[in-house]
């Protein structure tokens, strides 16, 4: 849906205009979101939320695919299994990022 050259320009601009300021707001010294007491274990806000919103905006700007084929659904059980494993691993990673089994780790989950 996008040429590689346009993709590299987009990623470069996105890294400088979107990702860097949000990373500073949360992880940097004196970041205003960190001053509110926000805890960002495993980059949930910086990485996942900013990329999710950016992906939705880019998909909206690019429009629907022009080469859509009518493929049947793939193995639904494997999709559910993969999503469950991803969710389980993400929960363990976030809880373990607190480096202790205390209320901070529980808050991360």
């Amino acid at each position: 849906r996008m040429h590689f050259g346009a993709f590299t320009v987009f990623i470069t601009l996105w890294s400088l205009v979107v990702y860097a300021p949000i990373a500073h707001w949360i992880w940097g010294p004196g970041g205003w979101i960190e001053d509110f007491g926000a805890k960002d274990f495993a980059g949930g806000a910086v990485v996942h939320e900013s990329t999710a919103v950016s992906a939705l905006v880019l998909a909206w700007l690019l429009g629907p695919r022009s080469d859509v084929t009518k493929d049947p659904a793939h193995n639904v059980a494997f999709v559910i299994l993969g999503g469950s494993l991803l969710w389980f691993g993400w929960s363990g990673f976030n809880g373990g990022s607190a480096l202790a089994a205390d209320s901070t780790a529980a808050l991360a989950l």
Side-chain angles (χ1 to χ4, degrees):
R1 292 173 54 173
M2 182 183 248
H3 294 285
F4 184 72
F7 178 72
T8 56
V9 169
F10 170 76
I11 289 298
T12 303
L13 291 174
W14 181 86
S15 298
L16 295 172
V17 176
V18 176
Y19 182 79
I22 294 174
H24 175 73
W25 294 341
I26 295 179
W27 293 334
W32 65 273
I33 296 176
E34 183 186 24
D35 290 342
F36 285 127
K39 302 250 186 247
D40 186 25
F41 295 113
V46 174
V47 177
H48 302 120
E49 292 176 15
S50 64
T51 55
V53 171
S54 298
L56 287 173
V57 169
L58 187 61
W60 177 73
L61 288 173
L62 290 176
R65 293 181 181 184
S66 59
D67 61 345
V68 175
T69 58
K70 301 296 181 200
D71 287 334
H74 296 287
N75 192 332
V76 177
F78 280 164
V79 171
I80 293 172
L81 176 65
S84 300
L85 289 172
L86 184 64
W87 175 78
F88 180 75
W90 178 83
S91 296
F93 184 67
N94 267 354
S97 294
L99 300 177
D102 57 4
S103 61
T104 306
L107 182 64
L109 294 175

